Amino acid sequence: MQNHLTLSQLQKLVKATLDEAFALPVWVSAEIAEIKINYSGHCYLELVEKGGDNGVPLSQARAVIWRTAYARIAGYFEAETGQRLAAGIRILARVMISYHELYGFSLNILDIDPTFTLGDMERQRQITIERLQREGVWDINRENPLPQVVQRIAIVSSRQAAGYQDFCKELGKSPYAFSLTLFDAFMQGAGAEDSIVAALDAVADRMDDFDAVVLIRGGGSASDLNCFNAYRLCAHIAQFPLPILTGIGHDKDTSVADMVAHTALKTPTAVAGWLVERMTGVEGWLDTAALQLRDASAGIFRRHELRLAELGSEIAHQSALLLLRRNEQLSRWSDELSTAVGELLRRQHTRLTTAEELIASRSPEHILSLGFAIVHRGDETVTSAKGLSSGDTLRVELSDGTFDATVK
């Protein structure tokens, strides 16, 4: 075809059209996908716009902040947001649209509005809050019972973090023995959320070893702490099976992690102080209980002492009364025994006298005095005449003498 454009002609036409249509700067919102500062001081960025929940980019463009403007723009942004320009941050940038025949479409960033970035963080924070409340997990961690004595503590923090060192130092000054186990994690940056969730999962695998979890880090800017507003981390905290105490180190805003945690305190040192104060309260309660136990024991001892004294007096009285009754009874028995013995002796004396009289009345002497005689033949007493023969010599015994006789 005779009527056609060369590639360079098309590129120049596109450039002219863009230059005419966008002669003045425009404000564009996008997310920083990549950022790199080269040796000359120029800052090169890759901007994207993501769509839907899957985060697939809808559009993408290269951008640059020339060295002459970079120090001013980056310094102001960091002063206002507390964070450096980094990947993952949404920005509102004032840009000039540029099109080059070799390098294609790009944006020259002239300024960045930090209030947009802060507002986007707040918007994401509100979305997290609404979702957690809608799913019904908002109050779950606060419902976990916290032991009166919290000594076995799982710490989720960075080993190098000053907040972790402050926390350990504050507990070390107390008179109480705390058992601390660190689960090391990144506490800021792109990988912070995944690292903290992984540390919490490691704690959950050993949950029987701990009374509570302490999630701490030092102070930081709002954007540094933005991972503590992320839905995944906050949902993990809200549904964690152990009570979680937070000391994320910010004085102004409260993160969503603080809102769903069992107990939220401002700083790591404040968490340590709260734990020590709780132990002090328990110690005070134990001291009071010990005093109450001592007083109650003394009261019980005194009551029982008085009761024992009363029982001792009662026993002494009853014993004396019983002895008196037994003595009286013994006296009566003694009198009755004496009377009975006397009566028995009299009866026996009467019987003996009767027996004596009976024996006396039947004695040979008495019988002989009645006119009877005893007849002997030799050594034999004669009791019948049948055995006698004429001429037998007999000896006759009378009461007053004896004589011999001959049978005829």
Side-chain angles (χ1 to χ4, degrees):
M1 294 179 62
Q2 296 296 322
N3 187 16
H4 69 275
L5 296 174
T6 65
L7 180 60
S8 62
Q9 289 173 334
L10 176 62
Q11 296 276 44
K12 288 177 181 178
L13 183 59
V14 171
K15 175 177 172 54
T17 302
L18 288 175
D19 288 343
E20 181 180 354
F22 298 98
L24 297 176
V26 295
W27 288 95
V28 175
S29 62
E31 179 180 321
I32 300 175
E34 296 181 15
I35 184 168
K36 180 167 54 178
I37 303 169
N38 73 358
Y39 67 93
S40 63
H42 302 311
C43 177
Y44 295 96
L45 306 95
E46 194 74 30
L47 302 180
V48 296
E49 179 183 348
K50 296 179 180 178
D53 295 333
N54 56 10
V56 176
L58 296 177
S59 62
Q60 186 171 339
R62 290 179 293 108
V64 63
I65 307 175
W66 301 119
R67 137 181 105 183
T68 54
Y70 176 72
R72 171 184 60 81
I73 292 173
Y76 179 65
F77 182 86
E78 184 174 352
E80 290 297 312
T81 65
Q83 174 174 315
R84 295 179 180 180
L85 291 169
I89 296 175
R90 281 175 51 83
I91 61 173
L92 179 64
R94 185 168 174 264
V95 301
M96 285 294 298
I97 296 171
S98 173
Y99 191 86
H100 192 275
E101 292 85 343
L102 290 178
Y103 304 114
F105 183 85
S106 66
L107 302 175
N108 178 15
I109 297 177
L110 306 177
D111 202 358
I112 295 177
D113 183 2
T115 59
F116 175 84
T117 301
L118 293 173
D120 183 67
M121 292 179 185
E122 179 60 27
R123 181 179 64 83
Q124 293 297 329
R125 180 173 176 271
Q126 292 301 321
I127 290 174
T128 298
I129 291 173
E130 292 170 4
R131 184 174 176 183
L132 292 172
Q133 291 177 341
R134 184 173 66 252
E135 293 174 352
V137 300
W138 184 258
D139 297 313
I140 290 179
N141 194 255
R142 280 189 293 276
E143 294 171 355
N144 288 330
L146 186 67
Q148 284 294 327
V149 177
V150 181
Q151 287 183 290
R152 304 176 304 157
I153 302 170
I155 306 171
V156 176
S157 185
S158 171
R159 190 181 301 277
Q160 286 75 34
Y164 168 66
Q165 304 298 331
D166 293 342
F167 175 81
C168 294
K169 188 181 299 182
E170 186 71 17
L171 288 186
K173 293 188 297 185
S174 75
Y176 309 111
F178 291 95
S179 174
L180 308 179
T181 304
L182 175 65
F183 291 82
D184 203 3
F186 300 118
M187 302 306 289
Q188 68 182 54
E193 183 180 359
D194 291 338
S195 181
I196 295 171
V197 168
L200 289 173
D201 288 341
V203 175
D205 291 338
R206 297 175 49 190
M207 61 175 293
D208 291 338
D209 297 338
F210 305 109
D211 300 319
V213 180
V214 169
L215 177 60
I216 53 175
R217 59 151 289 160
S221 65
S223 55
D224 285 340
L225 303 174
N226 198 43
C227 68
F228 296 101
N229 294 321
Y231 167 78
R232 179 167 172 247
L233 174 58
C234 294
H236 220 72
I237 293 172
Q239 300 173 80
F240 201 75
L242 287 173
I244 294 182
L245 316 178
T246 58
I248 300 176
H250 51 97
D251 296 325
K252 295 180 181 179
D253 297 324
T254 300
S255 69
V256 180
D258 289 321
M259 295 179 182
V260 297
H262 186 283
T263 301
L265 296 125
K266 289 295 184 183
T267 64
T269 302
V271 176
W274 186 87
L275 289 169
V276 171
E277 184 178 351
R278 186 177 180 87
M279 291 289 283
T280 302
V282 172
E283 184 181 24
W285 178 84
L286 289 174
D287 289 341
T288 301
L291 291 173
Q292 292 174 342
L293 180 60
R294 185 197 66 184
D295 293 342
S297 300
I300 293 172
F301 179 79
R302 180 58 181 163
R303 289 196 299 273
H304 283 79
E305 187 178 36
L306 293 172
R307 180 59 180 158
L308 286 174
E310 292 174 0
L311 290 173
S313 298
E314 183 67 20
I315 289 172
H317 174 70
Q318 292 296 332
S319 299
L321 186 60
L322 180 61
L323 286 173
L324 179 61
R325 288 200 295 267
R326 290 295 182 263
N327 284 334
E328 291 175 349
Q329 190 175 35
L330 286 173
S331 180
R332 288 195 304 273
W333 288 349
S334 177
D335 293 341
E336 291 173 358
L337 180 60
S338 178
T339 301
V341 169
E343 183 64 26
L344 178 62
L345 289 174
R346 283 193 298 273
R347 287 197 304 270
Q348 295 302 321
H349 182 267
T350 301
R351 288 180 61 192
L352 288 173
T353 301
T354 303
E356 183 180 8
E357 291 175 352
L358 179 62
I359 292 171
S361 68
R362 294 183 179 183
S363 67
E365 291 81 5
H366 179 70
I367 293 173
L368 290 174
S369 69
L370 294 177
F372 294 95
I374 301 173
V375 179
H376 302 276
R377 185 175 58 184
D379 295 331
E380 178 185 359
T381 301
V382 178
T383 61
S384 174
K386 291 180 179 181
L388 295 177
S389 298
S390 177
D392 289 339
T393 301
L394 303 175
R395 184 169 51 87
V396 179
E397 182 179 355
L398 300 175
S399 62
D400 56 352
T402 63
F403 65 91
D404 293 330
T406 300
V407 176
K408 292 181 178 181

